[in-house]
Amino acid sequence: MGSEEQRPLLRISELSSDAIEEVFESGDGGGGVGWWVRLVAWESRILWLLSGASIVVSVFNYMLTFVTLMFTGHLSALELAGASIASVGIQGLAYGIMLGMASAVQTVCGQAYGAKKYAAMGIICQRAIVLHIGASVILTFLYWYSDTILQAIGQSASIAEQGQVFARGLIPQLYAFAISCPMQRFLQAQNIVNPLAYISVGVFLLHILLTWLAVDVLGYGLLGASLTLSLSWWILTILNGLYIVLSPSCKETWTGLSSKAFKGIWPYFKITAASAVMLCLEIWYNQGLVLISGLLPNAAIALDSISICMNYWNWDINFVLGFSAAASVRVSNELGAGHPKLTKFSVIVVNATSIFISTVFTAIVIICRSLLIKAFSSDAEVIEAGSSLIPLLAISIFLNGIQPILSGVAIGSGWQHIVAYVNLTTYYIIGLPIGCVLGFKLGLGVEGIWWGMVVGVLLQTITLIILTARTNWDLEVEKAADRLRKSANEETLQLIAD
């Protein structure tokens, strides 16, 4: 490629995916070191535009439940315990399933958007909502009979009873989440993230007011708190839906309700099921750490110390989940557009950025180790137990800066079924047994359980690194075209380039 062709590429504002892929294909380097620096800046700008808003959405959606639990804590210790265990054991279970199923929307819609097959995206989103609502009907029984389930996993009758009150009030939220989650992924797949962020922040502020009125002013108690959380999620869902229907930004991707959403469900269901299993195995693994710790001899101290660390970890997880969503969108968009080399470059940039961020977070945790625990408790035993977990928290935060990003790449590429097998093996066949042996048999307590989890996450991260490094991105482009053609179920949909 001559100098006349290279010169426009040196201006970041004029760079395009097609032009960059052409330079990669030519193999001439695009104009030296200066061009590569500008290219990294171009990719980083897109990544942060996507991830910044995605992080806001992830964090503020999480904060809805966080605020509800804060207000619940002012009712009584028993009601807080019931709400907390229901949030982890019941709501967390459903959250994992719904979030996992919705990752299929990121894969297929993201690739459709990259391929400029916009009309297929609305049908895919509707098909996802149909499957999510079906899953919600099944999960409703889990919520309704949560008392029995919570007692079966070792909780006391009094805590389980309060947990059931809280869980039953969240049944409406389950259906709101079933509709909202696919819609959010539908918008993220076409790089519409700022409106989602504004809506999430606005609903969060409204939720604080509504919860204060329900719990503190009107005195509706635990059930009032959970019903208010459900109401806030429905407000969030309605606003997301109105944006999709009314915004000019979605006029090409949303063409109205269609009966085609009920056709070709089985091919789409297979990738949805794999997505659900993949993310459920990850989310439940972290939640299982808390549940298992409650079975230790000194359960109160163990639960207090690990809960404090998990609060910091959850903040980090929600930050990284927004970054992971951006990675998924970038990979799926470029695969759908038929840009294998740019896809590979995007993977390198997002992982390098994430490793840098996780290193900074890890250093902060190590430096402020005692202050982090004291911010939550003044009890000497809790501070001592929590401080002993800080090194493990630091390791987990560092790995958490790599592993979810690789999972996001897997979602964007449509590898959910492969990662599901990896998660099952590394987490539950290797990591969990090691943690139980260290924690119960060797007497290491909660530290031993956490070490087992670290081993599982480390093995999973190494496996995903190897899988990503050995990927043939040209082949992934062909797979993306085939996957979208089957999922969209349109005879005229021709995705493979001439």
Side-chain angles (χ1 to χ4, degrees):
M1 186 174 287
S3 59
E4 283 109 355
E5 293 177 292
Q6 291 179 17
R7 192 174 300 113
L9 291 175
L10 293 175
R11 299 178 63 180
I12 296 176
S13 60
E14 297 181 9
L15 293 178
S16 69
S17 295
D18 290 335
I20 294 170
E21 184 70 20
E22 184 181 344
V23 173
F24 280 142
E25 290 287 351
S26 70
D28 66 3
V33 175
W35 187 83
W36 283 103
V37 171
R38 288 167 173 79
L39 180 56
V40 171
W42 176 84
E43 178 64 35
S44 298
R45 177 179 176 274
I46 294 177
L47 180 65
W48 279 107
L49 285 175
L50 284 171
S51 63
S54 296
I55 289 168
V56 170
V57 172
S58 180
V59 169
F60 278 89
N61 286 351
Y62 162 73
M63 285 293 290
L64 294 178
T65 299
F66 186 82
V67 166
T68 299
L69 292 178
M70 285 180 62
F71 277 93
T72 302
H74 292 284
L75 296 174
S76 72
L78 178 61
E79 288 172 300
L80 175 60
S84 297
I85 201 66
S87 179
V88 172
I90 304 299
Q91 186 186 31
L93 175 69
Y95 177 80
I97 293 174
M98 293 294 182
L99 197 63
M101 291 176 65
S103 72
V105 181
Q106 285 179 270
T107 302
V108 185
C109 277
Q111 293 173 0
Y113 186 77
K116 296 181 173 61
K117 304 300 178 180
Y118 303 128
M121 296 179 64
I123 296 172
I124 293 166
C125 180
Q126 292 174 56
R127 187 172 297 143
I129 291 174
V130 170
L131 291 175
H132 275 68
I133 291 176
S136 297
V137 173
I138 298 173
L139 289 170
T140 298
F141 293 96
L142 176 72
Y143 277 61
W144 191 259
Y145 297 104
S146 53
D147 185 353
T148 303
I149 296 170
L150 291 175
Q151 289 191 58
I153 61 175
Q155 302 304 315
S156 67
S158 57
I159 291 179
E161 181 182 355
Q162 295 300 317
Q164 179 170 271
V165 171
F166 188 77
R168 287 182 174 180
L170 293 181
I171 291 177
Q173 183 226 26
L174 178 61
Y175 289 87
F177 195 71
I179 300 172
S180 176
C181 207
M183 289 195 301
Q184 287 186 348
R185 299 306 183 275
F186 167 78
L187 290 170
Q188 287 174 336
Q190 48 192 308
N191 303 329
I192 300 175
V193 285
N194 285 337
L196 285 175
Y198 299 143
I199 292 172
S200 295
V201 173
V203 171
F204 168 72
L205 296 175
L206 177 62
H207 178 66
I208 296 176
L209 175 62
L210 293 176
T211 307
W212 172 72
L213 289 173
V215 178
D216 289 354
V217 177
L218 300 177
Y220 288 152
L222 189 60
L223 182 60
S226 59
L227 286 174
T228 303
L229 180 57
S230 293
L231 174 61
S232 295
W233 265 99
W234 269 107
I235 294 172
L236 183 72
T237 301
I238 292 170
L239 292 176
N240 286 339
L242 288 175
Y243 182 87
I244 291 173
V245 173
L246 301 177
S247 173
S249 303
C250 300
K251 64 181 180 180
E252 292 184 275
T253 55
W254 182 265
T255 55
L257 298 176
S258 172
S259 61
K260 291 181 180 179
F262 296 93
K263 299 178 182 179
I265 282 187
W266 178 246
Y268 184 79
F269 173 77
K270 289 191 289 186
I271 188 173
T272 296
S275 301
V277 172
M278 170 190 156
L279 280 186
C280 282
L281 291 175
E282 290 186 17
I283 293 173
W284 296 346
Y285 190 54
N286 297 338
Q287 293 169 338
L289 180 65
V290 177
L291 295 175
I292 293 173
S293 298
L295 304 177
L296 291 168
N298 195 359
I301 299 299
L303 281 173
D304 284 348
S305 59
I306 200 170
S307 295
I308 292 171
C309 290
M310 289 298 289
N311 269 292
Y312 291 113
W313 196 11
N314 282 334
W315 279 100
D316 179 66
I317 284 175
N318 280 278
F319 181 94
V320 176
L321 279 178
F323 213 62
S324 175
S328 175
V329 171
R330 286 293 298 137
V331 169
S332 61
N333 283 175
E334 298 304 337
L335 283 178
H339 298 153
K341 291 180 171 54
L342 183 52
T343 301
K344 182 178 181 179
F345 180 76
S346 297
V347 171
I348 293 172
V349 172
V350 69
N351 277 285
T353 305
S354 182
I355 289 173
F356 172 76
I357 293 172
S358 64
T359 301
V360 173
F361 284 176
T362 301
I364 292 173
V365 167
I366 294 175
I367 293 171
C368 304
R369 56 186 299 168
S370 60
L371 294 177
L372 295 177
I373 307 301
K374 291 178 181 178
F376 273 85
S377 176
S378 58
D379 187 283
E381 285 187 273
V382 174
I383 293 174
E384 182 181 357
S387 298
S388 67
L389 295 177
I390 288 296
L392 288 168
L393 175 62
I395 295 172
S396 298
I397 285 177
F398 180 78
L399 292 176
N400 198 52
I402 305 172
Q403 177 268 329
I405 305 303
L406 295 174
S407 292
V409 172
I411 291 171
S413 305
W415 303 337
Q416 285 94 329
H417 63 291
I418 298 175
V419 181
Y421 288 121
V422 172
N423 290 350
L424 178 63
T425 302
T426 57
Y427 288 169
Y428 295 90
I429 297 179
I430 298 176
L432 189 59
I434 289 176
C436 289
V437 169
L438 294 175
F440 292 95
K441 294 295 184 181
L442 300 183
L444 295 181
V446 68
E447 292 181 59
I449 295 172
W450 200 327
W451 269 116
M453 189 190 67
V454 167
V455 170
V457 174
L458 179 61
L459 291 175
Q460 191 238 25
T461 302
I462 293 172
T463 305
L464 289 181
I465 289 174
I466 295 172
L467 177 66
T468 305
R470 298 183 62 182
T471 296
N472 182 335
W473 293 106
D474 292 287
L475 181 60
E476 292 302 320
V477 167
E478 296 178 13
K479 290 180 179 179
D482 182 64
R483 181 182 301 113
L484 181 55
R485 184 169 55 249
K486 292 178 180 177
S487 298
N489 195 34
E490 296 182 43
E491 295 180 1
T492 59
L493 194 58
Q494 300 295 328
L495 297 179
I496 302 178
D498 295 331

